[in-house]
Amino acid sequence: MPSPGHKKILIVEDEQDILQLIKLYLEKEGFRTLLATTGLDGLQKAKQEKPDLVILDLMLPEIDGLEVCKRLRSAPDTAMLPIIMLTAKAEESDTIIGLELGADDYVTKPFSPKTLVARVKALFRRLERKPDESPTQYRYGDLVMDLARHEVTVKNTEVPLTAKEFGLLEHLLRNPGRVLTRDILLSTVWGYDYYGTTRTVDVHVRRLKQKLPSLNEAIISVKSLGYKLKEPC
Ligand code: CA
């Protein structure tokens, strides 16, 4: 894995203690950090400073984390920016909304900084998987997934996916006809150290189908188990 030294992480958090703690741990691991304490400040820095990843708190002054997430996803410059949300247990419904709005992962407060750093690394690892470890392209009907370019096209038109949606689709395309349990998908796409719930998988599959209507029928829900991609005809 390349050294994290060139990776820039934007932390958007209004609580100074938490902000400084995250900064400390990330810098100890060699990441560079950018700090923002309000939603608007975060949006501006995401646009101007082009970070490689954003850690986004949910409860923020001015505009909250959900709105920030929505705006990042809808702007072409930041649509693909990996986002990890910080949420509190009591905000579970907001967490689901956050995932629906395009956050790639979330960490529940109170969290250990080590866990957060592990999630950051897992997300980068996924994004940086070397193309020679697997085929460089998958095809499914009109859909082409190009791993080297990290790009999905349908009839030659690019469909922007978040990091987790991309990982999920990649895993389905690599295992056509196989039932993939929610737990397997969680551990392979989200990482073995992921503590999220299996509901996370459902939310992402639903969003993937919305973005790729041609896969609507092809991705089959296997009752109480998980998902399966129909073998191509
Ligand atoms: Ca906060």
Side-chain angles (χ1 to χ4, degrees):
M1 189 185 166
S3 112
H6 61 292
K7 296 286 184 206
K8 199 158 56 176
I9 299 177
L10 171 62
I11 313 164
V12 190
E13 165 64 88
D14 57 321
E15 285 159 79
Q16 274 298 332
D17 294 358
I18 301 178
L19 185 70
Q20 294 301 330
L21 188 71
I22 298 173
K23 173 181 152 72
L24 183 80
Y25 272 79
L26 286 174
E27 290 182 351
K28 215 163 71 180
E29 293 290 325
F31 293 105
R32 286 190 291 153
T33 58
L34 283 164
L35 309 181
T37 52
T38 69
L40 285 177
D41 189 19
L43 274 174
Q44 214 164 33
K45 288 196 168 121
K47 217 171 193 150
Q48 288 168 355
E49 312 275 344
K50 306 202 181 320
D52 299 290
L53 184 145
V54 182
I55 294 172
L56 179 61
D57 185 36
L58 196 63
M59 303 296 276
L60 290 168
E62 295 170 4
I63 52 172
D64 68 16
L66 291 180
E67 182 61 27
V68 173
C69 187
K70 202 161 97 186
R71 293 197 199 174
L72 288 175
R73 282 292 171 257
S74 57
D77 290 6
T78 52
M80 297 289 284
L81 190 56
I83 300 173
I84 296 180
M85 278 201 139
L86 297 180
T87 65
K89 254 216 155 64
E91 299 161 347
E92 203 194 336
S93 59
D94 286 340
T95 305
I96 301 297
I97 296 170
L99 292 172
E100 281 178 339
L101 288 177
D104 296 288
D105 202 351
Y106 68 92
V107 172
T108 308
K109 287 179 178 175
F111 57 87
S112 96
K114 280 186 183 163
T115 301
L116 181 60
V117 171
R119 299 285 190 85
V120 166
K121 286 182 172 173
L123 192 49
F124 277 135
R125 256 199 316 274
R126 237 213 48 65
L127 293 170
E128 284 165 3
R129 186 175 296 157
K130 291 186 207 80
D132 61 354
E133 285 174 7
S134 52
T136 56
Q137 259 194 8
Y138 289 107
R139 285 173 183 274
Y140 195 90
D142 291 325
L143 181 147
V144 178
M145 170 178 269
D146 189 324
L147 296 171
R149 298 166 71 161
H150 203 79
E151 184 179 76
V152 172
T153 55
V154 175
K155 291 180 185 157
N156 295 319
T157 304
E158 192 185 349
V159 182
L161 298 181
T162 66
K164 293 298 180 194
E165 290 164 359
F166 194 95
L168 190 58
L169 179 61
E170 184 189 341
H171 206 66
L172 286 164
L173 289 169
R174 199 192 304 159
N175 299 284
R178 233 182 92 187
V179 176
L180 301 169
T181 67
R182 290 180 177 82
D183 284 335
I184 284 181
L185 288 169
L186 264 182
S187 63
T188 47
V189 180
W190 276 262
Y192 66 91
D193 47 7
Y194 189 74
Y195 300 107
T197 69
T198 49
R199 215 163 141 199
T200 309
V201 178
D202 298 335
V203 170
H204 279 77
V205 167
R206 198 160 69 230
R207 218 170 52 211
L208 197 58
K209 287 181 167 193
Q210 279 164 3
K211 287 191 178 177
L212 299 164
S214 63
L215 290 186
N216 224 325
E217 308 244 341
I219 300 175
I220 307 164
S221 165
V222 184
K223 213 175 172 188
S224 77
L225 270 180
Y227 293 93
K228 183 172 97 169
L229 181 69
K230 265 199 232 167
E231 288 191 74
C233 323

